[in-house]
Amino acid sequence: MPQTAQTLDAAAVRSWCVRALEALGREREEIDAINVYPIADGDTGTNLYLTVESAAQAVEALFAADDPDAGDAVRAMAHGALIGARGNSGTILSQLLRGMASVLADGRDGDHLARSLAAAARAAREAVAHPVEGTILTVATAAADACGGGGSLVAVARGAYEGARTALEATPGQLAVLERAGVVDAGGRGLVAVLGALVEVVSGEAQVRPPNRAVPVPSSADCAPEGGPAFEVIYLLEAQDAAVERLRARLDALGESLVVVGGDGLWNVHVHVDDAGAAVEAGVEAGRPYRIRITHFAGVSETRERLQRAVVAVVPGEGLAGLCAEAGATTVLAGPGEPPASGELVDAIRRAHAVEVVLLPNDTGLRHTAGAAAEQARAEGIRVALIPTRAAVQGIAALAVHEPDRRFDEDVVAMTAAAGATRYAELAVAEHQSFTSAGVCQAGDVLGLIEGDVAVIGQDLTETARTVLDRMLSAGGELVTLIVSDETPPTLADSLERHVRETYLAVDTTTYHAGAGAPALLIGVE
């Protein structure tokens, strides 16, 4: 006879994470295949898997450092899901886990589990700007209602699971896009898998999943309506409650599928918009956004197949993220002192939904990280070409000549040549006295770095920038690219453009705004 649990202890929480991850791993591709709402981008299963993976990693880290109690374990699970939430359904799942944790931290018997599921369903609905029936929200509410009377831990878990399964089967009748496609809600199916894993843990039964059934592949005509927002924007945000309420109102006016989850100063923001830059700027006004991910929904309403080719670019500011996303690239934001890990780059490669991917790290320090990400993606069957761009200006030059219709090798060669033909420089302010290739600098000096080496030491930003620019153009050039941040003096770009126009008659100049978090000035000369 299998041994049943009376309470959800720390070891059970750990096992729940492991089994939920295994369940989503088994069903990920099938869940991706039925993903037609709110955007038919075929990644709900993957997003749920990555969200639970982050939750599981947080719990494992807790066990590695200490012998945690159950309250610590459920809080770690919820926090890990919050910081690693992916996509619309993953963000909602993280809020469901947070709602459960708020109750399970005080008790973990069957009655507490029943109350935690009710709290989770309420919290998830409150996090969604415009709740829609026939989605993961409906399945979560049905799970809570089915076990509302309480009981033993196993009885409550089974009741929630069966209630969720029944609700899932009814979702096509609640949402027209699901009925047209002949599928159940993808997010709801993922939640059923997570609840099924919980039943396995508390009941001791090896398997409670229903047998697999054929999964219809929706046609483009069956998918979500055309004309939706062009971008998905996700970021973590450090902000106070009052600022988040203002942020909700602003993002709700900007787009749709708005979900803001979290609390206690840390939030996960998800929204679909046409103006990705405005969505990030709203976060900057509310607090400190980071781990910003912008995905372009190019072609998802026209095709259920993966794109043939895509570009993934690391960028140093939200302004450049919006610029590159509008050019069709999937972007990863590199904040000051916060370079992306290889896992974030692999995630971006997956989000690109392409058979072939060109990866632009745009930073010398990311060479090995990008290489590891490329190798992992290749092991998953994606053809990845890593162009070793060392600065954002080289990435912009490569993206400018990108042509997805030509042969992959030819496209990579052209992009590599464009990046290689772009010399780059950066202006920075010295934080302390040090020896450089241009001499000794003092704290507060302006440093002009050309191709990564300090070439000019000055006291004035504009004068130093002009000197750096003259040195670069002394070797020739046809186009100067200037990238400025929010912290750059507003007159700097105009002054440099005027200098180039008056001194170098055959040279054109273009300026881009990187937004917050970027270096004061990046210069490219092609």
Side-chain angles (χ1 to χ4, degrees):
M1 292 287 293
Q3 185 173 1
T4 60
Q6 300 304 311
T7 62
L8 194 68
D9 59 16
V13 173
R14 187 184 195 182
S15 296
W16 184 20
C17 289
V18 171
R19 296 212 180 191
L21 194 60
E22 290 174 349
L24 289 170
R26 288 190 299 265
E27 300 186 30
R28 179 179 62 82
E29 291 185 0
E30 293 181 6
I31 296 174
D32 282 345
I34 63 172
N35 170 203
V36 298
Y37 181 86
I39 295 291
D41 48 354
D43 64 357
T44 292
T46 299
N47 287 335
L48 289 169
Y49 179 88
L50 293 171
T51 301
V52 173
E53 182 181 48
S54 182
Q57 289 171 347
V59 173
E60 287 301 320
L62 189 67
F63 271 86
D66 198 359
D67 184 16
D69 61 27
D72 290 336
V74 296
R75 283 189 289 267
M77 182 181 185
H79 181 72
L82 173 67
I83 64 174
R86 300 292 200 276
N88 191 68
S89 293
T91 306
I92 294 173
L93 177 62
S94 75
Q95 187 73 344
L96 288 168
L97 293 175
R98 180 180 173 85
M100 293 184 70
S102 67
V103 177
L104 291 176
D106 297 327
R108 288 152 297 279
D109 58 13
D111 290 343
H112 279 87
L113 178 60
R115 290 200 294 271
S116 78
L117 290 166
R122 288 194 302 271
R125 284 185 178 272
E126 291 169 358
V128 177
H130 302 285
V132 174
E133 297 304 327
T135 65
I136 186 174
L137 298 175
T138 304
V139 175
T141 299
D145 291 344
C147 62
S152 70
L153 188 68
V154 174
V156 169
R158 282 178 172 158
Y161 174 65
E162 293 301 332
R165 284 183 56 190
T166 300
L168 177 66
E169 294 302 320
T171 55
Q174 297 172 294
L175 201 53
V177 65
L178 302 179
E179 187 173 30
R180 288 197 303 270
V183 298
V184 296
D185 179 65
R189 177 165 174 180
L191 179 58
V192 168
V194 172
L195 292 174
L198 177 61
V199 176
E200 291 183 1
V201 170
V202 301
S203 69
E205 297 174 354
Q207 185 174 345
V208 297
R209 293 180 300 117
N212 290 337
R213 62 183 181 183
V215 177
V217 178
S219 69
S220 60
D222 297 327
C223 298
E226 296 183 5
F231 302 103
E232 177 186 59
V233 178
I234 305 174
Y235 50 80
L236 289 177
L237 177 70
E238 294 178 356
Q240 299 303 311
D241 291 3
V244 171
E245 286 306 309
R246 293 192 295 270
L247 175 67
R248 289 181 196 269
R250 182 169 176 187
L251 292 180
D252 192 26
L254 280 175
E256 56 189 49
S257 298
L258 173 62
V259 185
V260 182
V261 303
D264 301 321
L266 181 62
W267 309 82
N268 193 307
V269 179
H270 169 281
V271 67
H272 295 171
V273 293
D274 282 320
D275 190 343
V280 177
E281 287 171 9
V284 173
E285 292 181 5
R288 187 179 81 91
Y290 60 103
R291 292 194 184 180
I292 301 171
R293 297 188 296 275
I294 300 175
T295 302
H296 188 210
F297 289 134
V300 296
S301 62
E302 289 81 20
T303 177
R304 291 292 297 171
E305 299 178 359
R306 300 176 74 182
L307 298 174
Q308 180 62 32
R309 189 174 312 153
V311 177
V312 172
V314 180
V315 293
E318 71 273 4
L320 288 184
L323 174 72
C324 293
E326 288 172 7
T330 296
T331 61
V332 179
L333 192 81
E338 297 179 348
S342 62
E344 291 181 72
L345 297 184
V346 172
D347 177 34
I349 292 171
R350 292 172 180 148
R351 285 189 289 118
H353 297 297
V355 177
E356 303 165 339
V357 172
V358 179
L359 178 59
L360 305 174
N362 297 336
D363 188 333
T364 303
L366 287 176
R367 183 180 62 178
H368 296 299
T369 301
E375 285 301 319
Q376 183 174 340
R378 289 173 188 137
E380 297 177 8
I382 304 172
R383 188 181 184 188
V384 181
L386 171 60
I387 298 179
T389 48
R390 295 172 290 174
V393 287
Q394 290 188 325
I396 290 174
L399 193 56
V401 301
H402 167 57
E403 291 187 13
D405 292 334
R406 65 184 162 201
R407 291 178 56 245
F408 185 61
D409 292 339
E410 293 176 353
D411 198 29
V412 171
V413 168
M415 295 176 73
T416 303
T422 302
R423 302 189 302 282
Y424 66 94
E426 175 184 340
L427 262 65
V429 177
E431 296 181 356
H432 48 74
Q433 183 187 60
S434 62
F435 293 92
T436 75
S437 53
V440 179
C441 71
Q442 305 296 326
D445 283 348
V446 179
L447 307 180
L449 294 84
I450 299 178
E451 304 285 322
D453 294 323
V454 178
V456 180
I457 300 174
Q459 281 69 51
D460 179 76
L461 189 67
T462 301
E463 288 299 324
T464 305
R466 188 178 295 122
T467 301
V468 169
L469 193 51
D470 286 338
R471 290 198 184 185
M472 296 179 74
L473 287 172
S474 66
E478 297 176 355
L479 174 65
V480 171
T481 299
L482 306 174
I483 300 177
V484 297
S485 73
D486 285 350
E487 289 73 35
T488 307
T491 59
L492 178 61
D494 290 341
S495 174
L496 294 178
E497 287 185 4
R498 185 168 57 254
H499 176 67
V500 172
R501 189 165 55 247
E502 295 173 352
T503 311
Y504 305 94
L505 300 181
V507 179
D508 294 324
T509 307
T510 184
T511 300
Y512 298 112
H513 293 270
L521 178 66
L522 296 172
I523 302 174
V525 174
E526 298 179 47

